[in-house]
Amino acid sequence: PDVKFNIPMMDDWSVRRVLNSVIATQPRNYVVMEVKSNLVADERAETLRKFSAPHFRKVAHVVMGEPPQAFKAAQTQRFLREKQQKATEEWRSKKASASQQKTMAARQAKVADARKRADELRQRMAAEARRKVAAARKQTELAKRKAAGEEITEEEEREAEEDEAMKDETDVKEEEKDEDEKSDAPMDDNDDEGAPEVELTEEERSRVFRVVEEGSSDLSMSVLNKCFGKFSIPSSGEGFDDVRFEWQDEAASREYLRAWVFERKKTSRIEDLEPGEWFQELHKAWMKKFNDWQAKQKATKALAMRKEKEMAAKKKAEKEKAKEAGADEEAAAQDDDAAGEVDPFAVQDICDVGDGLPLFKDFAFEDWALLQLRYELYILQEAFRKDVDDPDIEGIQERHLPFYYGKYFRKQLVGRVWGTNTIAEVVALAKETVEFNSDGVLAPKLNAAVDDDSAEAFVKITEESRRERRRRTDAGDETAKLKFMPMALQQASALKPAAKVSAWGPGKPH
């Protein structure tokens, strides 16, 4: 779909526009090979309008479903040829590599042998030179002695003659040896082994279609995910003169397409999905409440500190009084702690649990982040179902959660920001409200209606979770400590108003 020919008129579709304008005037046979357009009813109708002239007979060929045995047999032979060709090419490559290594080894051996012969030759030449020098010296001494009138024995003359003859013989042998070494070249032994014959495995024999390599499909993944919900089978009522079902009949083909679309919906993400009005209004109200609560906590911080000092002084006085009365100090302290905390789920107004103090007065950065995460994940799975409005889609798959989270809240959902490694571990931080079910779909765990008034329930859950975490840390449980990055409390970006339309477009193929 994204082929680049580096030819301007083809890359900018100029040639296509010209062809579309002239085909109606040329009475020829045309094959329209448009995968997406042939599967979408509106685009089929647009194509048919180009061939409205009476000399055109419009025929739709539906090749869908279970292929015939002849096609399967042809595909099996094709797969076998491709596998054999690949094996032969690998064998040739290995053979060429082995031959190259053998040639290199022969060259290295020849170089080593030449180096060895050169060393031996140098040694012989040095020895011969020394012998010649010694023989010449002996001849000179004999000549001097003859000139001086000294008597030369027959043995000494014979030795001199032998040395001279040995010199000539050595030169002849050296020349013969060089000729023999030149003719003694290594011979290359030919490998007569042929290419191996391959067979298809059971899995390969059962395969009907080729495995499409990445980047070579007829439709890009983004285009497919946007339009597959609109796929349908052509009918004569659309304007075709004939609809031919090549593999299976019409009923079987329609069932095949319906099942394919249904399965695709469960695993594909909706690229063009936009948050609907229900979500935008609810999220806007939530952001206002969230900011108001944080402002309330800051405004009552001084009051809370004063109340804590008064409570501490009161507890100290009661402990001293209990000590004088001989009461159990530890039991009295536990009673005081229990009396100082209210049950979060029994609170009517989370902004005033007594003395004007809010329920969230002790919230730290981590508590605010968890409150936001719990609420966002909960309304996300609810808003997704409303905006998709398709009973075939159960919900958000685990692998698509970061994508839809970014779509709705305009920010990223990254595990390391929350001190975790996976998205599943991030969701586990909000285990009181949502979870991944057995099908890997984000599902509600909290049985509560999602409206403007339900946000307070998430504050109560967060306060109860905070107290439990504090009790664990006080007991020495290091795993209860949270290590969030500052981005965990990042606010969502403003959303643009979106028209409320079905995510898959008008009409369903089933």
Side-chain angles (χ1 to χ4, degrees), residues 386-402:
K386 289 179 178 292
D387 295 335
V388 172
D389 191 23
D390 191 331
D392 292 340
I393 302 177
E394 184 180 355
I396 299 176
Q397 296 282 336
E398 179 179 344
R399 63 179 176 275
H400 297 322
L401 178 57

Side-chain angles (χ1 to χ4, degrees), residues 43-244:
E43 298 187 26
R44 283 198 300 269
E46 181 66 27
T47 302
L48 287 173
R49 279 194 287 270
K50 299 174 184 176
F51 300 94
S52 57
H55 55 262
F56 285 119
R57 188 171 187 272
K58 301 174 284 294
V59 180
H61 293 266
V62 180
V63 185
M64 192 175 294
E66 185 70 18
Q69 193 60 37
F71 178 85
K72 294 180 180 179
Q75 287 291 86
T76 300
Q77 291 299 318
R78 181 179 183 179
F79 297 152
L80 181 60
R81 287 196 303 271
E82 292 177 351
K83 188 174 183 179
Q84 181 65 61
Q85 182 180 1
K86 183 178 180 181
T88 302
E89 290 176 354
E90 291 178 353
W91 174 79
R92 288 174 180 171
S93 177
K94 290 179 181 179
K95 183 179 179 181
S97 178
S99 177
Q100 185 178 8
Q101 292 178 0
K102 191 173 183 180
T103 302
M104 290 295 297
R107 289 179 181 176
Q108 293 175 357
K110 187 175 181 180
V111 170
D113 187 52
R115 192 176 291 126
K116 181 180 179 181
R117 291 201 308 270
D119 291 341
E120 292 175 352
L121 180 60
R122 282 194 296 271
Q123 293 175 5
R124 287 197 303 271
M125 291 178 65
E128 182 64 20
R130 289 192 297 270
R131 191 190 64 75
K132 288 180 178 181
V133 170
R137 188 180 297 116
K138 186 182 289 187
Q139 291 288 343
T140 302
E141 290 178 356
L142 289 175
K144 286 181 180 180
R145 288 170 61 186
K146 286 181 180 181
E150 294 184 8
E151 184 179 358
I152 305 300
T153 65
E154 293 181 2
E155 184 179 356
E156 288 177 335
E157 289 181 355
R158 188 171 59 252
E159 289 179 355
E161 291 175 357
E162 290 177 355
D163 289 340
E164 188 67 23
M166 187 178 296
K167 173 186 175 183
D168 297 337
E169 183 180 355
T170 302
D171 293 339
V172 172
K173 288 183 177 178
E174 188 64 40
E175 292 177 2
E176 293 176 351
K177 185 175 181 181
D178 289 342
E179 292 297 330
D180 292 341
E181 289 175 348
K182 288 179 181 178
S183 63
D184 189 17
M187 297 180 65
D188 183 23
D189 53 340
N190 295 324
D191 187 1
D192 297 330
E193 183 181 357
E197 294 186 4
V198 301
E199 294 182 356
L200 296 179
T201 63
E202 189 66 29
E203 180 181 356
E204 290 171 336
R205 282 195 296 268
S206 63
R207 185 156 47 91
V208 178
F209 303 105
R210 299 182 65 183
V211 178
V212 180
E213 297 180 1
E214 186 176 357
S216 61
S217 59
D218 295 322
L219 288 179
S220 65
M221 192 57 63
S222 59
V223 173
L224 180 61
N225 287 340
K226 286 180 180 179
C227 65
F228 75 85
K230 305 174 187 177
F231 286 176
S232 63
I233 290 178
S235 63
S236 56
E238 296 179 7
F240 289 100
D241 298 306
D242 189 12
V243 179
R244 300 175 184 175

Side-chain angles (χ1 to χ4, degrees), residues 121-381:
L121 180 60
R122 282 194 296 271
Q123 293 175 5
R124 287 197 303 271
M125 291 178 65
E128 182 64 20
R130 289 192 297 270
R131 191 190 64 75
K132 288 180 178 181
V133 170
R137 188 180 297 116
K138 186 182 289 187
Q139 291 288 343
T140 302
E141 290 178 356
L142 289 175
K144 286 181 180 180
R145 288 170 61 186
K146 286 181 180 181
E150 294 184 8
E151 184 179 358
I152 305 300
T153 65
E154 293 181 2
E155 184 179 356
E156 288 177 335
E157 289 181 355
R158 188 171 59 252
E159 289 179 355
E161 291 175 357
E162 290 177 355
D163 289 340
E164 188 67 23
M166 187 178 296
K167 173 186 175 183
D168 297 337
E169 183 180 355
T170 302
D171 293 339
V172 172
K173 288 183 177 178
E174 188 64 40
E175 292 177 2
E176 293 176 351
K177 185 175 181 181
D178 289 342
E179 292 297 330
D180 292 341
E181 289 175 348
K182 288 179 181 178
S183 63
D184 189 17
M187 297 180 65
D188 183 23
D189 53 340
N190 295 324
D191 187 1
D192 297 330
E193 183 181 357
E197 294 186 4
V198 301
E199 294 182 356
L200 296 179
T201 63
E202 189 66 29
E203 180 181 356
E204 290 171 336
R205 282 195 296 268
S206 63
R207 185 156 47 91
V208 178
F209 303 105
R210 299 182 65 183
V211 178
V212 180
E213 297 180 1
E214 186 176 357
S216 61
S217 59
D218 295 322
L219 288 179
S220 65
M221 192 57 63
S222 59
V223 173
L224 180 61
N225 287 340
K226 286 180 180 179
C227 65
F228 75 85
K230 305 174 187 177
F231 286 176
S232 63
I233 290 178
S235 63
S236 56
E238 296 179 7
F240 289 100
D241 298 306
D242 189 12
V243 179
R244 300 175 184 175
F245 292 87
E246 304 293 341
W247 286 359
Q248 291 187 303
D249 59 19
E250 181 176 0
S253 297
R254 291 188 183 279
E255 176 58 25
Y256 179 88
L257 180 59
R258 188 206 66 78
W260 183 88
V261 171
F262 177 75
E263 188 63 29
R264 188 83 191 178
K265 283 183 178 182
K266 295 194 300 182
T267 58
S268 299
R269 70 187 192 188
I270 309 172
E271 300 286 344
D272 56 350
L273 179 65
E274 293 295 336
E277 182 180 353
W278 178 87
F279 169 82
Q280 295 194 41
E281 292 296 329
L282 188 65
H283 186 249
K284 182 179 179 180
W286 158 258
M287 291 181 66
K288 183 180 184 306
K289 279 191 172 184
F290 189 80
N291 293 328
D292 290 345
W293 290 337
Q294 287 186 312
K296 175 74 173 179
Q297 184 196 40
K298 292 178 181 179
T300 58
K301 184 172 292 186
L303 176 61
M305 292 178 63
R306 185 169 68 252
K307 291 293 182 181
E308 287 180 1
K309 289 181 180 179
E310 293 176 357
M311 183 65 68
K314 181 179 178 181
K315 288 181 179 180
K316 184 178 180 181
E318 291 178 352
K319 285 181 181 179
E320 292 178 353
K321 184 177 180 182
K323 186 177 180 181
E324 293 176 356
D328 188 351
E329 295 184 18
E330 184 176 352
Q334 292 178 353
D335 293 340
D336 292 337
D337 290 339
E341 290 186 347
V342 296
D343 181 5
F345 299 102
V347 172
Q348 298 296 324
D349 184 2
I350 63 171
C351 291
D352 187 0
V353 297
D355 298 326
L357 295 176
L359 181 63
F360 44 82
K361 63 182 178 63
D362 295 320
F363 275 16
F365 159 77
E366 293 82 2
D367 301 303
W368 288 112
L370 283 174
L371 170 61
Q372 181 172 261
L373 179 67
R374 291 184 176 103
Y375 189 79
E376 287 179 345
L377 292 180
Y378 193 83
I379 65 170
L380 173 61
Q381 52 88 26

Side-chain angles (χ1 to χ4, degrees), residues 4-17:
K4 297 298 181 183
F5 297 96
N6 293 324
I7 302 176
M9 292 187 67
M10 294 186 70
D11 291 341
D12 64 7
W13 300 102
S14 300
V15 172
R16 183 179 182 180
R17 288 193 291 271

